[in-house]
Amino acid sequence: MAGRAAEPEVIWARPERAGRGPRPAYSRSDIVAAAVRLADADGIDALSMRRIAADVGCGTMSLYNYVPRKEDLHELMVDAVSGEYEFTGAPSGDWRADMLAVGREARGILRRHPWVIRLMTTGYASGPNALRFLEHCLTCLEGVGLPGGAKMELIANINGTVMTIVANELALAERARGLPWSEEEEQAVRGAYLMRQLAGGAYPRLAAVMAESGATRIDPEEIFDRTLGRVLDSFVAPE
């Protein structure tokens, strides 16, 4: 039976440089910062070791001395942007408010770095910033009467909900950029078409809901907060 070609390795356990020899010209953080810049500018699909090397100013093959695999690079990138959570001060003691604040920060990070949605996985939970994130969330939830596993599920549900919301927001924004007319004009035409369909009587329940809600403007910030609030309430009913 042939032996395996490689053994599992955690990038965080891999030394950045050998104990001997000259100090490398670049650090792992230099490589990751360049990768994040390029992904922010052109998307994750445009990212390559060749482009990173050109940005940093070194040979392509030399990058593998810093980051041996593409998967390692992705994990380093996700953890790097996770360092943008501020977590200023101790939790307030209102766990719902604190977790809502975490969700808002996550939304901002994903908007700045939309490629993270493509890369995010629960496997990337051992980096220093990921551990800092989890520790903060568990501190916010310390007084909540849930077992540890349920608390981790709550955190995962918040992350998943925020990623879904932001992915939809980004898709809508991308679509709007490709239209030859304004988003307001588009929505006016679609709204008029919808009203004509509802007026025919084929969709009475939908017509009743639309009539009840009227022409109230949808505030995306209110919708975001309310959606996360419902996720939180699904774990612990509000008092």
Side-chain angles (χ1 to χ4, degrees), residues 110-166:
L110 293 176
R111 284 173 163 178
R112 293 191 296 273
H113 311 288
W115 49 268
V116 172
I117 296 172
R118 292 268 304 277
L119 301 186
M120 181 63 75
T121 166
T122 54
Y124 294 164
S126 53
N129 289 316
L131 295 176
R132 170 175 165 264
F133 169 82
L134 290 172
E135 184 68 17
H136 174 81
C137 291
L138 291 172
T139 303
C140 294
L141 298 172
E142 198 160 24
V144 179
L146 290 173
K151 291 179 180 179
M152 295 297 285
E153 288 180 19
L154 188 156
I155 296 167
N157 272 258
I158 289 293
N159 283 338
T161 301
V162 174
M163 282 194 288
T164 300
I165 291 172
V166 175

Side-chain angles (χ1 to χ4, degrees), residues 13 108 120 146 168 191 193 201 205 209 220 227:
M120 181 63 75
L146 290 173
N168 183 63
Y193 172 81
R205 294 170 184 81
V209 169
T227 301

